Amino acid sequence: KEYTKEEILKLAEANDVRYVRLQFTDLLGIVKNVEIPVDQLPKALDNRIMFDGSSIQGFVRIEESDMYLAPDRSTWLVFPWDTPQGRVARLICDVNLPDGTPFAGDPRSVLKRVCEKARAMGFSAFNVGPEPEFFLFKLDENGKPTLDLNDEGGYFDWAPVDLGENCRRDIVLALEQMGFEIEASHHEVAPGQHEIDFRYAEAVEAADNLTTFRLVVKSVAREHGLHATFMPKPLYGINGSGMHTHLSLFRDGQNAFYDPEGEMGLSETALQFVAGLLEHARAFTAICNPLVNSYKRLVPGYEAPSYIAWSGKNRSPLVRVPAARGMSTRVEVRSPDPSCNPYLAIASLLAAGLDGIERELEPPPPVNRNIYMMTEAEKEEAGIRSLPSNLNEALDALVRDGVIMDALGDHVLLHFIEAKRIEWNMFRTQVTEWEREQYFSIY
Ligand code: ADP
Ligand code: MG
Ligand code: MG
Ligand code: MG
Ligand code: MG
């Protein structure tokens, strides 16, 4: 709900709010906030709170560092927990330049711009339903995370095997108090691994929700003596954490992906969107799987995709079309992981799909067999390419893709590529325990 300034001031008073966090995210999707005492709230709601952007990753150079926070009044939320200093509320903000125009390096503005494009193409909504997964590890007596998983459970296991059960239930409770509609929560395949699914929302709200989700999961876990991590592959040899992302476009309140007469019950628009996703998959991987570690999840054998294909039957390819039709008609992209910047990831997926629609691309035939059992020749024949196998390859693919580059804009692109090339080069020159084990005595 879009509140007025007056309504928010009243709500702050009625809820005895003492502090307000003005929240935004940096280029890497890390949540930043400026906390103000509640008497500054009127000033904040007039977009007059300034901060120094030069200290934020991927923002700006020193000489042009004054930024203004523009709270989105529909994101007003009083945190359900009390602090010793009283209650705290938050507002998610856009980042503006001193002249009031959106700052090009603000990931939220990048997503808004791509959504504008969808609107201009006649779509009334772009819906996003993520399935974030995470691991719970035990904290040691000093409160430091360990590598001890908190349970030995497996997919859909019950307590008492699933010791994460209580923690997960408290996470769900906190999220519900914050207005999330939780559709499901369950133990995942790996020990210590969990998934919580919440109802889809329009793109910007969905990305906002993901940033809130990560904060809540981490802070509730800590209260249970656990460390929650969204690192894509924390342990070798077991499944990593993904964030399957369900996408649909609505036109005049109707699902534009649904056509009861169409092939597989899908509209032309849906098929073109899928074609766009496949066409740009190698490029959006850098954004949806932004860590060196992300690529250790995208390998055969652990339920994560590594080939670019789609299917309506099979759960293993990059893009799956779930069976539901009508308003629930959607496509699921299975490569993203929860370390991504949700604004940039969703923006790049939308840009890919919209390009398919604009150019009326046709998807290749769906692949309903196990791609991992196909020979190289068969894959070649079917035109099935691989996802990038490491961050460096993914960055190379990104800088060759005009559509995804355009969607991100020069500012974000430049800073993202720079930060990620540095990350890759640091990783590439490390000497690991594994290498010493393999080579140290033999050579
Ligand atoms: P899976 O079968 O892959 O485990 P889930 O049932 O866990 O999928 O998650 C489905 C997600 O898709 C939820 O977030 C749900 O809200 C979302 N969803 C449902 N309908 C739509 C739609 N029309 N557009 C986008 N997302 C949708
Ligand atoms: Mg699920
Ligand atoms: Mg699932
Ligand atoms: Mg899952
Ligand atoms: Mg899924």
Side-chain angles (χ1 to χ4, degrees), residues 16-36:
D16 197 20
V17 169
R18 306 296 285 278
Y19 289 92
V20 181
R21 284 190 187 182
L22 304 175
Q23 202 175 295
F24 58 100
T25 60
D26 71 6
L27 195 61
L28 305 181
I30 309 301
V31 175
K32 303 284 164 182
N33 70 86
V34 176
E35 193 168 86
I36 55 167

Side-chain angles (χ1 to χ4, degrees), residues 131 133 186 188 195 244:
E131 303 180 64
E133 296 172 340
H186 59 82
E188 258 301 340
E195 173 177 313
H244 297 173

Side-chain angles (χ1 to χ4, degrees), residues 92-160:
I92 296 177
C93 302
D94 292 324
V95 180
N96 286 345
L97 297 172
D99 67 3
T101 57
F103 166 51
D106 176 18
R108 203 167 186 260
S109 82
V110 169
L111 178 56
K112 282 187 166 178
R113 202 173 55 225
V114 183
C115 289
E116 251 336 293
K117 184 174 176 198
R119 223 157 284 131
M121 287 170 69
F123 298 107
S124 51
F126 174 49
N127 306 298
V128 181
E131 303 180 64
E133 296 172 340
F134 57 91
F135 278 89
L136 294 174
F137 288 91
K138 289 178 187 153
L139 294 172
D140 68 14
E141 56 278 9
N142 300 320
K144 292 263 177 296
T146 68
L147 285 180
D148 289 338
L149 289 165
N150 83 313
D151 70 60
E152 306 268 287
Y155 197 53
F156 283 134
D157 270 352
W158 284 97

Side-chain angles (χ1 to χ4, degrees), residues 141-189:
E141 56 278 9
N142 300 320
K144 292 263 177 296
T146 68
L147 285 180
D148 289 338
L149 289 165
N150 83 313
D151 70 60
E152 306 268 287
Y155 197 53
F156 283 134
D157 270 352
W158 284 97
V161 183
D162 179 0
L163 296 176
E165 187 98 334
N166 288 332
C167 175
R168 199 176 63 230
R169 192 176 295 127
D170 280 349
I171 293 170
V172 168
L173 216 70
L175 289 167
E176 282 177 339
Q177 285 171 337
M178 296 170 81
F180 278 73
E181 190 178 322
I182 305 299
E183 292 189 340
S185 86
H186 59 82
H187 201 291
E188 258 301 340
V189 173

Side-chain angles (χ1 to χ4, degrees), residues 21-34 51 55-59 69 92-93 95 105-108 207-208 210-212 214-215 218 229-232 287 290-291 337-345 416 419-420 423:
R21 284 190 187 182
L22 304 175
Q23 202 175 295
F24 58 100
T25 60
D26 71 6
L27 195 61
L28 305 181
I30 309 301
V31 175
K32 303 284 164 182
N33 70 86
V34 176
F51 73 101
S55 51
I56 305 293
Q57 170 85 34
F59 270 33
L69 292 171
I92 296 177
C93 302
V95 180
D106 176 18
R108 203 167 186 260
D208 286 346
L210 278 166
T211 63
T212 306
R214 292 195 294 215
L215 288 177
K218 279 184 174 286
T229 183
F230 292 97
M231 179 178 176
I287 305 297
L291 306 187
D337 71 55
S339 71
C340 67
N341 178 325
Y343 300 97
L344 299 183
F416 184 83
K420 291 295 161 180
E423 187 174 329

